[in-house]
Amino acid sequence: MTEVTAERKLEITSGLEAAQARILRAEAAANRPPGSVGLVVVTKTFPAREIAVLAELGVRHVGENRDNEAAPKAHALADLGMVWHYVGQLQTNKARSVARYSSIIESVDRIKLVNALSRAAEEAERALDCLVQVSLDDRPGRGGAESAQVMGVAEAIEASPGLMLRGVMAVAPLDGDPDLAFERLAVVAGQVQSEHPDASTISAGMSGDLEEAVRHGATHVRLGSAILGYRPLVG
Ligand SMILES: *Cc1c(COP(=O)(O)O)cnc(C)c1O
């Protein structure tokens, strides 16, 4: 693996420190205990060698959104013991590949995908944690189950061999108020948890809206550009 320049290492180190400080401030502002909000660093478009730098700095959870890119990175870094979160829209024909390296699929939004992931988990002989991705957009297209479908998808995960229901995930709408969106997510998360007490994870908050997400109960945030900088344009 080619080396990361000293300058880039410094950039990643200070990006990570700044993000950690920002999470601590958001926790304090929301009257939540320090350290109660987890961090997933979204590493999509950044090379494996930069993920290795994150590992050296103590990051354990990383997020990717395309199997074609994530699979080779995860396999190259398999020795580092990182937890790979899959956060992108997932086609059923990619389930087998994703099940081999990812331990938590955050973007489960339909029953057909639940079935594919369950078969894939059994084949890979791995247990997969799953979050139901909730659409907070009234316009479809960016993934996520509509409110009326969330409980059905949650049930299906709970009933499927190889899959563990852990909670919910969402992305705030591009043009809406993130406060309102995450407030809505908290209500849905409460409904899911009232039926499935162990499903306590709320994955919400990105570089632009982590404060709002933490205010509304996010248990982990997913940060990319705040830590790694602008994503190189690929493909
Ligand atoms: C890219 C991405 C993120 C991180 O976004 P930033 O704005 O770079 O922090 C978080 N969640 C999902 C689902 C993403 O696709």
Side-chain angles (χ1 to χ4, degrees), residues 40-42 44 64-65 87-89 106 133 169-171 203 205-209 221-227 229 231:
V40 173
V41 182
V42 179
K44 63 189 184 202
E64 288 282 337
N65 74 337
V87 303
Q89 289 189 43
E106 298 207 4
Q133 185 180 347
M169 176 273 228
V171 177
S203 169
M206 313 193 341
S207 296
D209 54 24
V221 294
R222 308 177 308 267
L223 305 182
S225 51
I227 294 172
R231 280 184 278 277

Side-chain angles (χ1 to χ4, degrees), residues 22-33:
R22 206 176 137 195
I23 294 170
L24 278 171
R25 285 195 301 276
E27 287 166 338
N31 287 315
R32 297 179 54 186

Side-chain angles (χ1 to χ4, degrees), residues 106 131-136 144 168-173 181-182 185 202-206 209 213 222:
E106 298 207 4
L131 304 181
V132 181
Q133 185 180 347
V134 178
S135 170
L136 300 174
V168 296
M169 176 273 228
V171 177
F182 293 137
L185 178 64
I202 302 179
S203 169
M206 313 193 341
D209 54 24
R222 308 177 308 267

Side-chain angles (χ1 to χ4, degrees), residues 52-115:
V53 171
L54 289 167
E56 269 173 47
L57 297 171
V59 169
R60 211 168 150 252
H61 292 265
V62 291
E64 288 282 337
N65 74 337
R66 292 178 57 186
D67 175 61
N68 291 353
E69 180 192 335
K73 292 199 288 193
H75 294 300
L77 299 174
D79 292 347
L80 299 182
M82 304 188 97
V83 179
W84 295 80
H85 294 236
Y86 193 86
V87 303
Q89 289 189 43
L90 182 53
Q91 302 302 316
T92 50
N93 64 356
K94 300 288 187 179
R96 282 177 71 193
S97 171
V98 169
R100 285 190 209 114
Y101 60 87
S102 178
S103 334
I104 168 159
I105 318 297
E106 298 207 4
S107 47
V108 183
D109 60 359
R110 60 201 189 280
I111 290 177
K112 211 176 135 197
L113 178 59
V114 173
N115 296 335

Side-chain angles (χ1 to χ4, degrees), residues 109-219:
D109 60 359
R110 60 201 189 280
I111 290 177
K112 211 176 135 197
L113 178 59
V114 173
N115 296 335
L117 285 169
S118 176
R119 280 193 300 275
E122 293 211 290
E123 204 179 288
E125 299 184 337
R126 300 183 70 218
L128 299 180
D129 287 342
C130 292
L131 304 181
V132 181
Q133 185 180 347
V134 178
S135 170
L136 300 174
D137 240 320
D138 294 317
R139 290 166 301 180
R142 292 212 299 153
E146 299 300 317
S147 316
Q149 273 123 45
V150 170
M151 294 309 278
V153 175
E155 278 314 322
I157 294 169
E158 190 88 299
S160 295
L163 307 184
M164 324 271 265
L165 176 66
R166 296 299 186 198
V168 296
M169 176 273 228
V171 177
L174 285 173
D175 50 4
D177 176 347
D179 245 317
L180 289 177
F182 293 137
E183 197 179 332
R184 234 176 103 187
L185 178 64
V187 172
V188 177
Q191 287 163 350
V192 170
Q193 210 186 348
S194 68
E195 298 281 327
H196 310 280
D198 294 335
S200 55
T201 298
I202 302 179
S203 169
M206 313 193 341
S207 296
D209 54 24
L210 84 84
E211 287 77 11
E212 289 87 348
V214 168
R215 192 179 307 146
H216 294 289
T219 57

